[in-house]
Amino acid sequence: MVASMTAFGRAGCALVAWEIRSVNHRYLELGFRLPDQLRDLERRLRELALRRIRRGKVDATLRLATAEITPEINAKAVEHLLAAVDAIRRQAPSETIGPVNPLDLMRFPGVLADLGGDIDALKAAAIEGFEAALDDLVEHRASEGANLAALLGERLAEVERIVAAVRALIADHGDYLRDRLLDRVQALTTSVDEDRLEQEVALLVHKADVAEELDRLEIHVGEARTSLAGEEPCGRRLDFLMQELGREANTLAAKSILPDAARLAVDLKVVIEQMREQVQNVE
């Protein structure tokens, strides 16, 4: 199943509210923003995330519903912080130190006292809410992944169409090369040895042969389709296949002698680049 790494998940209850955002990343990178009294949950939350997500940069933010929870203020901690601010004011010009924001003070460790008997219920709500937000995130990743899979399927079909068109063109490129050589010889008003002409044509045909490149393009397209249809995350494999497709397309463009084949090779490179950009978001 194809999943996108770019998605958003949200869940909450009367006690907590979760927001999880994920974007594309080469590996899995998890980041948590938790209230001080719930920081010991991070290990458990990481374990839950690792079960559901393989790749992406994931940022999870937990907010407490302060209307339902009234934590106690640690007066001693606030007193020490304000004393520190006063000391700084005495050493710095007054205009450089603005007023103290109470919300900023609350973010310092130890300012909010332990919630006592409510902490267990709060932790349970935080874990339950995180699992619900993960469900929402995974659902969004799957939905976006389905769209990506459809777009990639369309472009893989375009690659196959271009490969078939090039095959049809090169079927008679020996005649094209023979005619081009004859034109050059006649321009030089020189007689031509038919046997030597055929040898030169055969050599040029061999150098311009792109059958192997076309075969490998078809093989890579088949591998990409297999990856898209699988159940495991396929982003890294698809990224590798896009590199291989791009390499074959470059060789095809370099070896194409027929003008129409050269134009098709350019079209092929454009399609592959579009797929490569889309694959960057696949888990």
Side-chain angles (χ1 to χ4, degrees):
M1 180 182 70
V2 178
S4 170
M5 286 188 284
T6 303
F8 176 80
R10 175 183 292 163
C13 64
L15 297 178
V16 299
W18 277 101
E19 287 187 358
I20 308 178
R21 300 176 184 272
S22 70
V23 295
N24 59 329
H25 196 273
R26 187 174 182 182
Y27 305 105
L28 176 60
E29 180 180 318
L30 298 172
F32 292 90
R33 297 180 63 184
L34 305 172
D36 292 333
Q37 57 268 48
L38 297 180
R39 288 193 182 280
D40 59 336
L41 287 180
E42 183 169 337
R43 181 176 179 180
R44 171 64 174 157
L45 298 174
R46 285 184 176 275
E47 292 174 351
L48 292 172
L50 287 170
R51 295 176 186 174
R52 309 291 302 279
I53 302 172
R54 300 288 186 85
R55 290 180 68 202
K57 185 178 186 300
V58 181
D59 292 311
T61 302
L62 172 63
R63 294 185 176 86
L64 301 180
T66 54
E68 299 292 334
I69 301 173
T70 307
E72 295 182 3
I73 303 298
N74 186 333
K76 284 291 185 182
V78 174
E79 181 181 342
H80 292 157
L81 281 173
L82 292 176
V85 171
D86 287 339
I88 294 173
R89 288 185 189 280
R90 289 193 295 271
Q91 298 180 28
S94 59
E95 63 272 11
T96 64
I97 307 298
V100 177
N101 187 332
L103 292 178
D104 291 336
L105 290 178
M106 291 173 64
R107 294 191 182 99
F108 278 85
V111 170
L112 297 183
D114 196 333
L115 298 177
D118 294 334
I119 192 66
D120 291 337
L122 187 60
K123 287 182 177 180
I127 292 175
E128 182 179 352
F130 184 69
E131 290 179 317
L134 267 180
D135 289 340
D136 192 35
L137 179 75
V138 170
E139 182 179 345
H140 278 93
R141 285 165 69 103
S143 176
E144 289 297 320
N147 293 333
L148 280 174
L151 291 173
L152 289 169
E154 292 174 1
R155 282 167 174 75
L156 288 171
E158 180 67 9
V159 171
E160 291 175 322
R161 186 196 68 77
I162 293 174
V163 167
V166 174
R167 281 194 191 279
L169 281 173
I170 65 174
D172 58 353
H173 70 167
D175 294 336
Y176 171 82
L177 291 172
R178 184 182 294 103
D179 293 341
R180 194 168 73 169
L181 277 176
L182 279 173
D183 289 342
R184 290 184 177 181
V185 169
Q186 290 171 359
L188 296 172
T189 63
T190 304
S191 61
V192 58
D193 184 320
E194 290 294 331
D195 291 338
R196 180 62 184 274
L197 176 64
E198 292 302 322
Q199 291 176 3
E200 292 296 328
V201 170
L203 180 61
L204 287 174
V205 168
H206 176 72
K207 289 182 177 180
D209 184 19
V210 294
E212 289 187 9
E213 286 75 13
L214 297 176
D215 289 342
R216 284 193 288 268
L217 284 166
E218 289 181 336
I219 291 172
H220 296 328
V221 167
E223 289 291 329
R225 290 191 185 280
T226 300
S227 297
L228 289 172
E231 293 299 322
E232 292 298 315
C234 59
R236 290 182 180 177
R237 183 170 179 79
L238 287 174
D239 188 48
F240 169 76
L241 289 171
M242 292 306 112
Q243 294 178 36
E244 293 302 305
L245 285 168
R247 185 175 294 112
E248 299 302 335
N250 287 333
T251 305
L252 178 65
K255 295 174 69 174
S256 292
I257 294 178
L258 300 176
D260 288 342
R263 284 192 291 269
L264 286 170
V266 172
D267 293 342
L268 179 63
K269 293 171 69 173
V270 170
V271 174
I272 293 171
E273 178 62 20
Q274 290 171 344
M275 287 195 294
R276 190 194 65 79
E277 292 177 358
Q278 291 163 343
V279 163
Q280 301 308 306
N281 274 332
V282 176
E283 183 179 29

